Amino acid sequence: MTDLFGGNEPRQSAHQTIAPGAMLLRGFALDDQRALLDGIDRIATAAPFRRMQTPGGHVMSVAMTNCGGAGWVTDRRGYRYSPTDPETGRPWPAMPDAFLTLARAATALAGYADFRPDACLINRYAPGARMSLHQDRDERDMTRPIVSVSLGLPATFQFGGLKRGDPVAKYALLHGDCVVWGGPSRLCWHGVLTLKDGDHPATGRLRLNLTFRGAM
Ligand code: MD3
Ligand code: FE
């Protein structure tokens, strides 16, 4: 029998608008997975994943690091972007070219010209980790979108409305999926349900999520 795809599944390329301004690009990062995972390893060598404290004193279940000119941090003093890693005092590692190229391709497809992310937050979920409902509002200019890239174990993502109590829709975010969140969806409440255990060929027992942001 002819092996049409050389042993690989064909790359999915369905683009779906899940809410005004929110476009889900299934499998959009699959071709770049090796470069993304290598980049994450390099970044985490210089700026290790750490579980940060919230202003309320809780330790987050998600471990985080950053690359780019600014990185998202939290401690007892609050949430903010910092040009340096508070653990080392050094600048965050540079954003790899493959990261920037992917974020720009995704935003271009979604209709945002010339997206220039200066921050990439990298979230690492082990089984049991979760992210409760929140809005992303620490960035300076809400007219710029956020791009998310999911790698490894699948997660259930909750996507609500502009008010905390608005009903939430649930979406599975799978290895290689990208989402562009902009326009009317930029300030929507969202979260990630507790990660279930599993073993993914690319990441083992982990989920990784990159979010590209125009922060400063
Ligand atoms: C919708 N991360 O880092 S990515 C975050 O999977 C964050 O780690 C989740 O929420 C994760 O802040 C979700 C999807 C996402 C990211 C940013 C958004 C959805 C968004 C901003 C506005 C609206
Ligand atoms: Fe968020």
Side-chain angles (χ1 to χ4, degrees), residues 132-155:
S132 53
L133 276 182
H134 66 278
Q135 294 172 298
D136 288 23
R137 48 178 195 198
D138 301 318
E139 299 74 26
R140 196 154 285 166
D141 173 7
M142 297 298 159
T143 69
R144 294 178 293 183
I146 291 180
V147 179
S148 74
V149 180
S150 293
L151 294 169
L153 289 177

Side-chain angles (χ1 to χ4, degrees), residues 121 123 125 131 134 136 146 148 157 159 181 185-186 188 190 192 207 209 211 213:
L121 172 63
N123 295 151
Y125 295 73
M131 193 175 286
H134 66 278
D136 288 23
I146 291 180
S148 74
F157 174 72
F159 186 47
W181 315 90
S185 77
R186 177 62 183 76
C188 285
H190 59 278
V192 178
R207 171 175 188 261
N209 179 266
T211 44
R213 299 142 184 276

Side-chain angles (χ1 to χ4, degrees), residues 85-179:
D85 178 350
E87 293 292 319
T88 63
R90 292 192 304 259
W92 296 103
M95 204 181 296
D97 286 341
F99 286 32
L100 205 51
T101 305
L102 176 66
R104 288 179 64 88
T107 45
L109 195 54
Y112 295 93
D114 199 27
F115 178 55
R116 275 178 304 217
D118 54 11
C120 175
L121 172 63
I122 307 172
N123 295 151
R124 187 183 71 186
Y125 295 73
R130 61 190 286 271
M131 193 175 286
S132 53
L133 276 182
H134 66 278
Q135 294 172 298
D136 288 23
R137 48 178 195 198
D138 301 318
E139 299 74 26
R140 196 154 285 166
D141 173 7
M142 297 298 159
T143 69
R144 294 178 293 183
I146 291 180
V147 179
S148 74
V149 180
S150 293
L151 294 169
L153 289 177
T156 303
F157 174 72
Q158 293 179 297
F159 186 47
L162 292 174
K163 286 177 295 180
R164 192 187 181 113
D166 285 343
V168 297
K170 289 181 187 177
Y171 294 90
L173 289 181
L174 310 176
H175 180 66
D177 288 351
C178 295
V179 192

Side-chain angles (χ1 to χ4, degrees), residues 3 6-7 23 31 52 60 64 74-76 86 149 153 156 164-166 186:
D3 182 2
M23 188 179 273
D31 288 350
M52 293 186 276
M60 297 184 77
M64 299 175 167
T74 176
D75 58 20
R76 292 304 302 251
V149 180
L153 289 177
T156 303
R164 192 187 181 113
D166 285 343
R186 177 62 183 76

Side-chain angles (χ1 to χ4, degrees), residues 28-52:
F28 192 72
L30 284 176
D31 288 350
D32 296 317
Q33 58 181 294
R34 190 41 51 200
L36 295 171
L37 292 167
D38 287 352
I40 293 168
D41 278 346
R42 187 183 64 72
I43 291 157
T45 300
F49 283 101
R50 80 293 306 265
R51 290 172 58 197
M52 293 186 276

